[in-house]
Amino acid sequence: MEYGVFQLIILSIFINNFVLSRFLGLCPYMGVSKQMDSALGMGMAVTFVMTIASLVTWLLYTFFLAPTYQNVFYFIFDTPIQNVPDLTFLRTIVFILVIAALVQFIEMYIQKVSPTLYKALGIYLPLITTNCAILGVAVLNIDMFFKDGLPLPNSFINTLVQAFASGIGFTLVLVLMAGIREKLELANVPKPFRGLPIAFIVAGLMSIAFLGFAGFSVE
Amino acid sequence: MAKKTFVGGVHPYEGKEFTEKKAIEKLPLPQRVAIPLQQHIGAPAKALVEKGQEVKAGEKIAEASGFVSVPIHSSISGKVKGIEKVNHPVSGRGEAIVIESDGEDNWVETIRFEENYLELDSKEMLERIKDAGIAGLGGATFPTHVKLSPPPDKKIDTVILNGAECEPYLTADHRLMLEHADDIVAGLRIIMKILNVQQGIIGIEDNKPDAIEVMRKAVKDFNNIQVYVFPVKYPQGAEKQMIKAALNREVPSGGLPMDVGVVVQNVGTAKAMYEAVAYHKPLTHRVVTVTGAAVNEPKNVLVPIGTMFEDVVAFCGGMKESAGKIVMGGPMMGLAQPNLQVPVVKGTSGILILEEHEAHVPAEDPCIACGRCVEVCPMHLLPTTLQILVEHENYTEAERLHIMDCIECGSCSYICPSNRRLVQGIRLGKRKILEARRKAG
Amino acid sequence: MNNIFRLSFILAIVTTIAAFVLAEIYQITRPQIEIQKQAKTKDALKYVLPDAQVIVPVTQKVPVKDKAGNVLYEKEVVRYYIGYRNSDTTGVVGYAFKAFGSGYSSIIETMVSVDTSGTIKKIRIISQKETPGLGARCVEDQPVNPKKKQWTTQQFVGKTVDQLKVDKDGGPIVSITGATITSRAITNSIREKLSELLPQLKLASTENIGG
Amino acid sequence: MSVGAEFFKGIYKENPVFRLALGLCPTLAVSTSITNAIGMGAAVIFVLVASNTLVSFLMWLFAKTLSEEGLNSINKIRIPIFIVVIASFVTIVEMVMAAYFPALSESLGIFIPLIVVNCIILGRAEGFASKNGIFLSIVDGLGMGIGFTLALVAISFVRELLGSGQLLGAMIMGEGFKPVLLMILPPGAFLVIGLYLAGLNWIDARKKQA
Amino acid sequence: MSETSEKLFVVTSSPHIRDADSVPKIMWTVNIALLPALLAAVYFFGFKALWVTLLSVIAAVVTEAAIQKLAKKPIRVHDGAAVITGILLAFNLPPSVPWWMPVVGSVFAIAIVKEAFGGLGYNILNPALAARAFLLASWPVEMTASWVAPKEGTISGIAAITSATPLNLLKQSAKIIASPEKFDPAQLQAAQDAIAKLSSSYTNLLIGNVGGCIGETSVIALLIGALIMFYRHVIDWRIPFTYIGTVAVLAWIFGGTEGLFTGNWIFHILSGGLILGAFFMATDMVTSPITGKGQIIFAIGTGILTVAIRIWGGYPEGVSYAILLMNLTVPLIDRYTVPKVFGEVKSNE
C-alpha cells in the first residue's frame, strides 16, 4: 500500500493512534499522565526519540540488514546480489541495541547542547528505552514501508512522517489523558475505581470517541 | 451615555421596599450599652476607664493601640459597669465596656461647630478624624485615617464616595443621602482637601433616583464633584468594582485602591468625617437598617454604638414568631448571629431578620460545572474550582488561581444551582493559606 | 576511555555470539518459513482450481529501477496461474489470479479462478484485516441461499465480468450488511483485474491448447 | 522464601499485569481471543524462563571467574548484556513461530518482537535472576510467565466470549446472541482491564475489612 | 443578659439568600424541553419511538438508583439527570432498534460513563453520546441498517431513500459525483437528482418528516425545546450558535460537489443531529468548558470535527463523535482559558 504524507499524518495521529488503537506506549500513557507538565515533556521526548530512532533504524535496515541492491555489500563491495547476506533476522536485536544506545547518546548530547531542553526532556529519556512505542514504530515502519526487503516508494519520507506523526498522536492522547486525570483527582471517583482502573476506563472511552475518526478518506 | 459598570455580578431580590421610604428615626436612650474594644480592622483599642467611673456621651473611653487602630467613645452618658466579655457580632466573643445609662443624654462640652473648618490644614483634619474614632462604616471598618494617609509615592487623584449600597435590604446609606446630602458633600470636600485631590465622585445605583436627585442638587455648586449613576448590580459597592465602573481602572491583584490613585469612602463615613472635623464630634452613633420579613416594623434607626440588637429590634416592633435567622449586615455578606444579645458596632449597617423558611440553606448537590459562578464572579475567579481545590487541600494550586483575590462578596454562592458553599470554602482556604504564610514567617 | 573500549568490546563479543547462534537457528527455520509464506497461496490455488492436477504460474519480468530510472535488475512477478487437468500440462481447466482491493481498514487479497470462457469458477479471500464482525465477514462462504439475501463468496460462482457489481451499485452481488465498502472493494478489485487479464488469457488459452 | 511462594507470587500477589501493571501493551493488544492469549503467554514464558536461566547462569559464571575489578566493569554493561540475551531469545521465538505457527505469528504481529521491551522480562532479569540461583530463577520466570498468561487469558476470555460469542474459536453463545463487537475492538480491551482492576481493588478492600 | 428568648437562631455562612434555581429544576427543564421532539417522533415514527424512549429512560433511572444503593450513596434519581440521559440516548437511536439496545446503552451510559466517575458532575463524557458510540461500535448493523421511513412517506418523493437518512444520501451521492468514471451515467444522474431534491426538502427537514434517529429529525420541535431552555436560562447562546455557525461556514466552504464555496449549508444545519446536538448535548454543563471563552473554543472545535466527519469521515453524521471528542478536551480547554483575574498584573519572575 502506498501512502500520501497527509493521509499518513491523519492515520498516525487519529485513526491508528499509537496508544488507543495500536496499544503501543501504554506504560508511559498510564504512568506519566498524572500531570500535564510531565505528560507534555514525555510526549515531546517520545516524539523526538521516535523520529530519530526511525531514521536510524531505517538506514540500518536498508543498507545493512536487507539483502537488496541498496545493501552496502552490494553497492560498495560489489557482492553479487545473491551473495549479499540476509541479516533481517537480526532486526529485533539490532534495533533494540541501537535504540538503547541512541537514547543514551541523545541524553548526553542534549545535556551538553541545550540545558533547557535537557531540563524539559532529561528525566523522561531514561524511561524511553523500554518504551515499546519506539521499537514499535521502528518495526512498524519496516512492516509498512518495505516489501520483500525493498523500500516502497517514498519509504524514507513515510518513515519519518509516520514516526513524527505517531509521536504527535501519542503526545495528544497523553496530554488529553493528563488533563482528564488532573480533573479526576478532584472528582468523587468510587474507591475501587481510583487510580489505574479509572484511567483505563478513561482510555477505553477515549478510544470509543476516537472511533469517530475511523474510515476517514483522505487523499 | 451607557451606564458604567463592571463585568460579573448578580441581581438578587433587592428587598429595599421595606425601609427605603422610612426616614431615619432616633432610637430612645437605651438602658445600657456594651461597646466592644474591637470595632475595626487592626489592633483592638485599649480601655481608658475603670469600673464605676462616670462617663459622658462622646467621651473617649478607649485609645488606639497603634497606627492601624482607632479610639472608642462612649455613646451614652452613665456609669461604667465593667469591662466584660460579651457576644461580638464579628468575632463571636470579645471584651466590651459596659455602660449603664444615667437616663440623661449628657454630652462632652468639646462639641462645637467651626465655621472655617475647610481652611484647616490637612494634618489637623486627619488628627480630628483619628481622634473621632472613625472607621469605614460600609462594613469593612478599616481605620479611616490610615486610608487617608497614603505613602508619599502614591499619587491620589480621585476620591469616590460610595453610595451604591448594593447589599439587598439595606437602606441606611440611601436615607443618609436623602436626609444629610450636604453633610456628605462636606465630608467629601474634607477628604479632597486632605488628599489634595481635584476630582470627587459620588457613586449611586440607579434604584435610588431620589437620592441621585438630591445629591446632584447638593453638588451642583462644586464643579469638581460629580454624581455617577450605576446600574443596579451586586456587588457594585465593592471598592474595586466601583473604581472599575467609575474610572475603568483595575486595582492590581493584591493591591489597594491607592495603587491606581483612588481613595474610596462610604457616604456614612464622609458624614462622620464632616462631623469630626467641623464639630469635633466623635463617632458614637450610626444608622442601622432594621429590616426583613420577620421584623414587625422595619425602620432606619440612628443607634448609639453598643446598643444591643434586642433593644433596636424592640424599637421596631420586635420580631415575628416566624423569625429564623438574624443577620448583621446585608444578606450577601452579613454575619448570622445566634441571638439578639449582640451589640451594634461601628460596622453594623443593618439588622436583617429572615423568616424561618428563608433561614436554611438547601442541601449541597455536586457541582455540575454550569459556569454560573464564573460568570458572576466580579473578580473573574473560578469559584467552584477554588472551592474544590480547598476541599482537596490543594492550596498551592488554589493560590496559583488567585484565591487570595476573592472579595467574599458571595455572588457565586448566591447563584450556584447546586447550593454549594463556595464562599465558605474559599474563605477557609484563604485562612489556611494566611496561617501557613504566618507560620513560614 | 580505555575502559569504555573494553566494555564495548565485551558487548560486541556477546552480540556476535548471539548473532551467530541466531544465524544458525535462522538457517534451520528459514525453509519452513518460506514454505509457510507460500502455503496460503498454494491452499487458495488448490481451493479455486480443485480439478487441476498442475498449476503453473505465468510470470513476467519487472525491472527494478532506482530513483534516476536506471534499471538495476529484473524481478519475476506472477501475473496469473494456469491450471491443467493433466499432469503433463495439457487440458487447461482454468486460470487463477490474485486481486487486491483496498477495503475499509486493510488491503483485501482475493484469489480468483475463471474457466476458459472467462466466467468465475471460485473465489477465496486470502487475507484481510477488516472490522471484526463487519467487513471481516467477507470470508464467509456458505452455499448461496436464494431465500436469504446474504453475502457469501459462493455468490461469485458463474459471474461474468459485467456482473461484478454490488447491489448498492446496481449489480447482482449482495453486499455484507453494514460493510458496503468491503464488499465493493472485493467485487471491484476482481472486476478490474479480470477485465485487464481477459485479453491476455484468451491468447494464453489458445496457445496452450494448441501446444 | 520457599520455592512454592516464589512460584505463586507471580500468579496472584505480584501478578505482573494486574498488580504491577507491567506488560500492558501486549496484554491489551493480543487479548482478542484466548488462542492469541495462550500463544503470547507461551512466547513470554519461554523468553522469561530462558532469559532468567541464562542471566542467572551468566552472573554466576562471572562471579566465579572474574576478579573484583572485572565484575565491576561487567556490572556497568550488565543491562545491555541482558537486553542482548532477551532479544536473542525473542528472535528465536519470532523465527520458530513464523516457521511452525504462521497463523499465530500473523495475528500477534509486531507484539512478538516487542516482547523485548516488555518490562516484565528485563525487570525479572535485573530484579531477580541476576541475584538468585538458576533454579529459583526458573521458578520465578515460570511463575511470572504463568501469571502473565493467566491475566491474558482472563481478559481475552471476556473479550472473546462477549465480542464474538466464542471461546477458543468454538461458538458458545446461542444463535440469538449478538456479539458485542466493541469488546474485540481496542476500547473493549481498556474497559475490560479497567473493570478487572476495579474488581480486584474491591475484593482487596473487602478482604481488609474482614 | 436578657430573658426574652432562649431560642438560638440559624447561623450559617453568608450569603443568606440564594437564587431559586436548582439542579433538579435545570434538569427537569431540559426534560420538558425534550418533549416536543418526542411528540414529533411519535407522530412520524409511531409508538415504537415512545417505547424505545421509555425503555431507555427506565433502564437509566433503575441503573442509577441501583448503583447508588450499592455504593451506599444517597439515591438522587429524582434530579432528572438520568432521565435526560435516557431520553437523549433514545433520541440518538434509529426508530427500529431491537428493544434491548436502548437498555444496554442506558446501563453502559449510567454505570460506566457516569457512576464509575463518581456520578453527576464528575463524568468526562456525555453519557448518552458515549453510550451511542458504544452501541454503534458494538452493533453497527442494527444501528445503521434500520432506518425507518417516516409515517408521512419519503422525503420529497425520493423513494430510494426510505432506508437512509438525508445525510446518508447526500454522502453517497457526493461520492458518486466525485468519481463519475466509476459509475454508470444512470447512477450519476440519480445522484445528481438526489442532491437537487435534497436541497428542496427544507420543509420536510424542518418539521421532521425524514428518516433519521428518533429525536433528531424535527428541527421545529427541537427549536421549541431550545426556546424553553433559553427562556429558563438553562443554556447560553455561546455553544449552540458558535457550533451551528462553524458548521454552516465550513459546510458552505467544503461541502459542495462543485468545488469550494458551493456547499449547501442550510441543508447541513437542518439535517442530521446537529440541532439536537448543538442545543441539547454540546451544551451539557458537566461536559462542556466552564468559561465563556472556553465554550466558544469548544463549540468551534465541535463544528470543525462535525463537518470533517460528515465530509471526509467514515460516517454520514459526525455530531455525536465530534461532541465526544471535544468532551475529552474540556479539561485542557478549562486549564488554558482561566479568565484573567480582575487586576491581574504580569509578574516578572
Side-chain angles (χ1 to χ4, degrees):
Chain A
M1 198 163 180
E2 285 171 27
Y3 301 91
V5 168
F6 182 65
Q7 184 188 14
L8 209 52
I9 291 174
I10 299 292
L11 266 171
S12 309
I13 297 182
F14 298 114
I15 303 175
N16 293 332
N17 184 280
F18 246 50
V19 177
L20 298 180
S21 162
R22 291 195 195 274
F23 298 111
L24 291 171
L26 279 174
C27 292
Y29 180 62
M30 289 297 160
V32 198
S33 62
K34 280 184 201 137
Q35 274 173 355
M36 186 77 72
D37 299 338
S38 43
L40 207 61
M42 186 67 179
M44 279 169 12
V46 165
T47 310
F48 187 62
V49 175
M50 253 161 101
T51 314
I52 300 207
S54 291
L55 173 94
V56 174
T57 52
W58 188 92
L59 294 174
L60 275 175
Y61 192 83
T62 315
F63 296 125
F64 290 95
L65 300 183
T68 64
Y69 64 89
Q70 285 179 318
N71 194 298
V72 281
F73 290 100
Y74 174 72
F75 76 85
I76 293 181
F77 304 118
D78 264 345
T79 321
I81 193 92
Q82 308 87 300
N83 293 352
V84 174
D86 176 5
L87 298 178
T88 47
F89 68 94
L90 288 177
R91 183 181 72 174
T92 310
I93 197 166
V94 169
F95 281 12
I96 186 69
L97 283 176
V98 164
I99 289 168
L102 201 64
V103 172
Q104 284 278 320
F105 181 73
I106 292 174
E107 195 182 342
M108 290 191 315
Y109 182 77
I110 292 184
Q111 192 173 14
K112 216 171 168 186
V113 173
S114 165
T116 359
L117 197 62
Y118 184 74
K119 220 173 130 194
L121 306 185
I123 52 167
Y124 305 108
L125 284 171
L127 298 173
I128 281 176
T129 318
T130 50
N131 180 347
C132 53
I134 313 291
L135 184 59
V137 79
V139 174
L140 206 63
N141 291 329
I142 306 303
D143 280 0
M144 283 172 70
F145 305 129
F146 283 82
K147 192 163 196 268
D148 302 326
L150 274 178
L152 292 167
N154 297 326
S155 171
F156 185 65
I157 298 293
N158 284 351
T159 294
L160 291 187
V161 168
Q162 163 151 298
F164 184 73
S166 297
I168 297 295
F170 174 81
T171 310
L172 173 74
V173 295
L174 190 66
V175 167
L176 286 180
M177 187 66 161
I180 292 172
R181 285 182 81 174
E182 277 186 0
K183 190 169 165 181
L184 286 180
E185 277 297 300
L186 306 176
N188 196 5
V189 177
K191 268 228 176 76
F193 282 92
R194 271 178 216 168
L196 270 189
I198 198 71
F200 272 110
I201 291 187
V202 171
L205 295 179
M206 224 184 229
S207 184
I208 290 182
F210 268 64
L211 290 178
F213 290 117
F216 251 82
S217 63
V218 276
E219 265 100 69
Chain B
M1 186 175 94
K3 279 175 184 163
K4 299 168 168 190
T5 186
F6 61 100
V7 177
V10 290
H11 295 98
Y13 161 60
E14 288 176 35
K16 308 261 191 196
E17 71 275 11
F18 287 108
T19 51
E20 65 188 338
K21 297 267 170 348
K22 303 269 180 71
I24 300 169
E25 290 178 49
K26 199 165 186 290
L27 186 81
L29 217 51
Q31 291 282 307
R32 10 164 265 143
V33 292
I35 306 173
L37 291 172
Q38 175 90 64
Q39 294 189 49
H40 49 264
I41 289 174
K46 265 198 306 238
L48 293 172
V49 291
E50 284 164 11
K51 188 172 170 181
Q53 193 177 324
E54 297 272 344
V55 291
K56 284 184 175 164
E59 191 176 328
K60 191 190 273 189
I61 51 173
E63 64 177 357
S65 60
F67 182 62
V68 188
S69 179
V70 291
I72 287 165
H73 305 78
S74 176
S75 54
I76 58 171
S77 59
K79 195 192 232 163
V80 175
K81 245 190 101 196
I83 297 170
E84 297 170 14
K85 281 231 168 206
V86 299
N87 288 346
H88 189 284
V90 180
S91 57
R93 291 291 275 178
E95 288 209 319
I97 301 170
V98 180
I99 300 166
E100 199 91 45
S101 170
D102 53 11
E104 296 160 42
D105 199 11
N106 284 329
W107 281 79
V108 287
E109 288 82 28
T110 46
I111 298 173
R112 61 178 193 282
F113 182 62
E114 270 180 52
E115 190 69 55
N116 57 348
Y117 65 93
L118 265 178
E119 276 138 50
L120 294 166
D121 76 346
S122 55
K123 221 171 164 194
E124 172 65 18
M125 286 181 172
L126 259 182
E127 203 52 42
R128 289 186 188 181
I129 289 169
K130 188 178 170 189
D131 278 346
I134 299 176
L137 298 182
T141 59
F142 191 77
T144 301
H145 66 273
V146 181
K147 233 178 174 178
L148 296 182
S149 320
D153 59 318
K154 306 277 183 206
K155 181 81 190 78
I156 308 296
D157 57 27
T158 308
V159 173
I160 300 180
L161 272 201
N162 188 347
E165 201 162 51
C166 58
E167 267 278 2
Y169 288 96
L170 300 188
T171 56
D173 290 350
H174 183 183
R175 291 310 306 180
L176 217 52
M177 286 190 283
L178 282 179
E179 298 172 30
H180 301 278
D182 292 330
D183 294 4
I184 292 168
V185 175
L188 173 57
R189 295 183 66 208
I190 290 169
I191 306 171
M192 289 166 70
K193 173 88 201 294
I194 293 174
L195 294 168
N196 188 23
V197 160
Q198 288 315 307
Q199 190 184 12
I201 293 169
I202 301 170
I204 308 173
E205 280 192 345
D206 62 2
N207 58 349
K208 309 183 231 319
D210 46 353
I212 295 166
E213 198 182 322
V214 171
M215 290 310 293
R216 283 221 163 114
K217 218 175 273 169
V219 303
K220 70 174 189 302
D221 296 337
F222 312 105
N223 49 21
N224 56 354
I225 301 177
Q226 271 122 34
V227 173
Y228 279 20
V229 179
F230 304 114
V232 175
K233 188 160 74 172
Y234 179 85
Q236 183 63 69
E239 255 181 8
K240 293 179 177 181
Q241 277 59 40
M242 175 142 285
I243 295 169
K244 171 77 182 171
L247 302 168
N248 197 22
R249 296 184 197 167
E250 276 190 22
V251 178
S253 164
L256 293 168
M258 63 171 79
D259 293 327
V260 290
V262 183
V263 163
V264 181
Q265 288 290 359
N266 172 266
V267 286
T269 322
K271 176 173 179 278
M273 274 187 265
Y274 163 70
E275 287 172 350
V277 174
Y279 291 88
H280 295 272
K281 186 170 181 276
L283 178 61
T284 54
H285 287 59
R286 70 153 299 147
V287 180
V288 176
T289 305
V290 184
T291 182
V295 177
N296 282 321
E297 298 161 31
K299 279 176 185 166
N300 294 302
V301 192
L302 183 68
V303 182
I305 284 162
T307 312
M308 288 292 150
F309 279 23
E310 200 177 12
D311 299 335
V312 186
V313 174
F315 176 64
C316 299
M319 43 183 190
K320 295 177 184 163
E321 252 327 275
S322 56
K325 193 189 234 177
I326 301 160
V327 178
M328 183 189 87
M332 294 299 287
M333 290 184 77
L335 296 164
Q337 307 294 332
N339 54 36
L340 286 173
Q341 275 78 55
V342 281
V344 168
V345 292
K346 288 176 184 172
T348 307
S349 49
I351 299 171
L352 171 65
I353 302 179
L354 295 169
E355 301 253 20
E356 182 71 39
H357 67 89
E358 301 171 303
H360 296 272
V361 185
E364 235 177 340
D365 281 332
C367 171
I368 54 166
C370 64
R372 290 183 188 177
C373 56
V374 178
E375 219 162 283
V376 302
C377 178
M379 296 307 290
H380 313 168
L381 303 171
L382 301 172
T384 178
T385 313
L386 292 175
Q387 188 257 338
I388 293 171
L389 284 169
V390 169
E391 214 168 78
H392 286 78
E393 300 182 357
N394 188 348
Y395 301 120
T396 346
E397 182 68 8
E399 237 184 308
R400 197 183 69 80
L401 291 176
H402 301 277
I403 190 171
M404 299 313 282
D405 280 313
C406 173
I407 57 170
E408 304 177 21
C409 67
S411 299
C412 49
S413 288
Y414 168 79
I415 204 76
C416 180
S418 294
N419 299 309
R420 298 186 64 77
R421 312 327 191 214
L422 297 170
V423 197
Q424 204 175 340
I426 293 171
R427 213 179 275 142
L428 175 76
K430 283 169 75 174
R431 209 166 61 220
K432 293 266 179 188
I433 290 169
L434 285 178
E435 265 167 30
R437 276 187 196 167
R438 219 169 293 139
K439 251 181 223 156
Chain C
M1 216 51 200
N2 198 10
N3 202 25
I4 286 186
F5 280 122
R6 213 179 64 194
L7 292 179
S8 311
F9 184 65
I10 298 172
L11 204 54
I13 290 180
V14 173
T15 316
T16 315
I17 295 172
F20 273 101
V21 173
L22 292 179
E24 206 46 49
I25 297 173
Y26 186 52
Q27 289 312 318
I28 301 167
T29 51
R30 188 176 183 167
Q32 188 62 30
I33 294 174
E34 290 300 322
I35 290 170
Q36 296 291 7
K37 271 190 187 161
Q38 308 295 332
K40 269 194 165 176
T41 307
K42 275 202 177 135
D43 283 355
L45 277 173
K46 256 192 204 140
Y47 175 84
V48 295
L49 290 171
D51 42 0
Q53 284 275 336
V54 185
I55 299 169
V56 180
V58 175
T59 59
Q60 191 181 18
K61 298 238 163 163
V62 178
V64 175
K65 293 176 188 168
D66 65 9
K67 282 255 163 70
N70 306 316
V71 176
L72 289 161
Y73 60 91
E74 290 189 325
K75 207 173 128 191
E76 277 205 311
V77 174
V78 178
R79 302 275 306 160
Y80 57 91
Y81 304 85
I82 307 174
Y84 297 102
R85 185 173 299 112
N86 309 315
S87 49
D88 57 352
T89 65
T90 55
V92 177
V93 293
Y95 308 92
F97 59 88
K98 279 184 191 173
F100 299 89
S102 81
Y104 187 71
S105 57
S106 66
I107 302 285
I108 306 164
E109 195 179 339
T110 316
M111 182 68 86
V112 185
S113 64
V114 290
D115 63 16
T116 44
S117 66
T119 314
I120 290 180
K121 281 164 76 91
K122 267 184 167 179
I123 74 160
R124 174 177 238 187
I125 310 293
I126 303 178
S127 74
Q128 54 83 21
K129 276 186 182 149
E130 297 290 284
T131 322
L134 270 183
R137 288 174 56 198
C138 65
V139 296
E140 287 182 0
D141 59 354
Q142 69 273 36
V144 177
N145 180 348
K147 278 185 208 153
K148 230 170 151 186
K149 280 204 146 197
Q150 191 182 357
W151 165 276
T152 159
T153 54
Q154 298 280 350
Q155 63 178 324
F156 285 87
V157 177
K159 293 282 187 302
T160 59
V161 71
D162 306 326
Q163 291 173 311
L164 290 170
K165 242 179 212 175
V166 293
D167 42 11
K168 285 267 160 75
D169 299 338
I173 303 289
V174 182
S175 45
I176 307 160
T177 333
T180 317
I181 296 177
T182 309
S183 323
R184 197 181 268 147
I186 296 170
T187 316
N188 290 356
S189 70
I190 298 175
R191 187 183 66 229
E192 276 157 29
K193 194 70 188 269
L194 184 57
S195 44
E196 178 192 324
L197 281 177
L198 269 179
Q200 300 177 33
L201 287 177
K202 289 252 165 64
L203 193 71
S205 65
T206 45
E207 219 172 59
N208 277 292
I209 288 167
Chain D
M1 215 195 257
S2 75
V3 177
E6 287 295 354
F7 179 76
F8 284 108
K9 71 168 192 276
I11 290 173
Y12 187 78
K13 220 175 77 200
E14 287 179 30
N15 185 295
V17 175
F18 288 141
R19 301 295 178 174
L20 310 178
L22 295 175
L24 293 172
C25 300
T27 307
L28 295 179
V30 305
S31 57
T32 46
S33 76
I34 296 187
T35 321
N36 281 353
I38 293 175
M40 188 58 164
V44 168
I45 293 176
F46 168 75
V47 177
L48 197 48
V49 172
S51 64
N52 257 9
T53 312
L54 192 53
V55 162
S56 173
F57 171 73
L58 284 177
M59 293 315 278
W60 173 79
L61 191 70
F62 292 150
K64 266 251 148 120
T65 52
L66 293 178
S67 64
E68 182 130 339
E69 194 199 348
L71 259 183
N72 276 341
S73 48
I74 281 288
N75 258 334
K76 278 184 197 146
I77 50 164
R78 193 178 69 232
I79 301 281
I81 292 179
F82 294 168
I83 292 179
V84 171
V85 167
I86 294 167
S88 306
F89 285 117
V90 170
T91 309
I92 292 172
V93 170
E94 250 185 299
M95 294 190 290
V96 171
M97 274 217 181
Y100 303 104
F101 307 96
L104 197 58
S105 166
E106 200 173 305
S107 59
L108 298 183
I110 66 166
F111 287 95
I112 302 174
L114 288 184
I115 296 175
V116 177
V117 279
N118 189 325
C119 328
I120 303 172
I121 294 171
L122 189 61
R124 292 331 282 178
E126 164 71 2
F128 194 92
S130 66
K131 298 176 190 132
N132 285 288
I134 292 184
F135 178 65
L136 271 188
S137 299
I138 293 176
V139 171
D140 175 76
L142 269 179
M144 283 290 162
I146 291 173
F148 175 76
T149 311
L150 286 179
L152 234 75
V153 170
I155 294 169
S156 53
F157 173 82
V158 178
R159 293 185 67 192
E160 190 178 2
L161 185 67
L162 294 179
S164 53
Q166 301 175 334
L167 280 182
L168 282 165
M171 208 59 188
I172 292 287
M173 306 297 250
E175 257 303 289
F177 178 74
K178 302 262 185 190
V180 192
L181 282 185
L182 185 95
M183 282 297 157
I184 36 179
L185 294 175
F190 288 113
L191 294 179
V192 169
I193 194 171
L195 291 177
Y196 261 116
L197 290 175
L200 278 176
N201 282 346
W202 186 72
I203 290 170
D204 283 356
R206 290 277 298 239
K207 263 196 201 151
K208 240 176 237 164
Q209 259 176 16
Chain E
M1 275 200 256
S2 159
E3 49 290 324
T4 40
S5 161
E6 293 301 308
K7 181 174 173 186
L8 279 185
F9 290 84
V10 180
V11 176
T12 59
S13 185
S14 65
H16 307 286
I17 46 173
R18 298 269 176 165
D19 186 64
D21 221 351
S22 69
V23 173
K25 270 190 195 164
I26 292 175
M27 298 296 173
W28 285 108
T29 307
V30 177
N31 280 321
I32 289 167
L34 284 164
L35 283 183
L38 181 59
L39 291 176
V42 174
Y43 177 73
F44 288 114
F45 301 116
F47 277 99
K48 179 81 201 269
L50 185 63
W51 299 139
V52 171
T53 312
L54 273 181
L55 268 176
S56 183
V57 168
I58 292 169
V61 170
V62 168
T63 311
E64 180 158 295
I67 288 176
Q68 283 166 347
K69 183 143 197 189
L70 259 175
K72 300 189 182 89
K73 290 200 288 187
I75 294 181
R76 38 170 306 128
V77 288
H78 62 270
D79 65 18
V83 180
I84 297 184
T85 301
I87 298 183
L88 283 180
L89 173 63
F91 274 19
N92 278 290
L93 300 177
S96 66
V97 283
W99 65 269
W100 47 268
M101 279 188 32
V103 176
V104 174
S106 280
V107 172
F108 180 84
I110 298 292
I112 305 285
V113 190
K114 191 172 163 193
E115 290 298 328
F117 289 82
L120 179 68
Y122 300 113
N123 49 303
I124 301 294
L125 298 179
N126 183 312
L129 285 179
R132 178 192 185 258
F134 163 75
L135 294 178
L136 183 60
S138 296
W139 297 284
V141 176
E142 285 79 357
M143 284 293 286
T144 52
S146 45
W147 302 115
V148 170
K151 201 170 142 201
E152 300 286 294
T154 57
I155 74 164
S156 304
I158 310 173
I161 60 151
T162 47
S163 62
T165 64
L167 271 177
N168 221 326
L169 184 69
L170 175 79
K171 191 157 194 167
Q172 284 170 14
S173 307
K175 255 192 193 152
I176 294 174
I177 293 170
S179 45
E181 69 283 354
K182 283 191 187 162
F183 298 90
D184 292 341
Q187 276 176 282
L188 195 63
Q189 187 58 45
Q192 276 158 352
D193 282 358
I195 287 204
K197 276 184 180 159
L198 283 174
S199 321
S200 59
S201 61
Y202 296 147
T203 329
N204 278 317
L205 285 167
L206 268 177
I207 60 169
N209 192 14
V210 292
C213 288
I214 289 176
E216 73 182 15
T217 59
S218 176
V219 172
I220 289 209
L222 289 167
L223 287 180
I224 292 172
L227 279 181
I228 296 176
M229 291 196 298
F230 275 118
Y231 176 73
R232 288 277 291 104
H233 297 286
V234 168
I235 55 173
D236 162 289
W237 61 271
R238 289 191 190 92
I239 292 179
F241 289 101
T242 314
Y243 181 12
I244 294 173
T246 310
V247 169
V249 170
L250 293 178
W252 173 59
I253 299 178
F254 298 108
T257 47
E258 289 143 41
L260 294 181
F261 305 104
T262 62
N264 185 344
W265 56 274
I266 301 177
F267 178 78
H268 268 279
I269 290 178
L270 296 181
S271 59
L274 182 63
I275 299 292
L276 177 66
F279 287 101
F280 289 90
M281 298 190 294
T283 51
D284 173 15
M285 292 165 173
V286 178
T287 55
S288 61
I290 202 163
T291 64
K293 202 164 107 198
Q295 288 168 0
I296 287 177
I297 296 172
F298 172 84
I300 292 176
T302 318
I304 293 173
L305 285 171
T306 303
V307 174
I309 294 174
R310 279 187 178 182
I311 297 178
W312 301 291
Y315 303 95
E317 171 61 301
V319 170
S320 47
Y321 280 116
I323 298 176
L324 278 180
L325 286 164
M326 288 311 288
N327 282 167
L328 293 173
T329 67
V330 167
L332 280 193
I333 295 179
D334 273 343
R335 192 187 162 98
Y336 292 108
T337 54
V338 173
K340 187 183 145 290
V341 173
F342 186 96
E344 188 171 8
V345 269
K346 283 252 154 65
S347 61
N348 304 312
E349 280 177 69

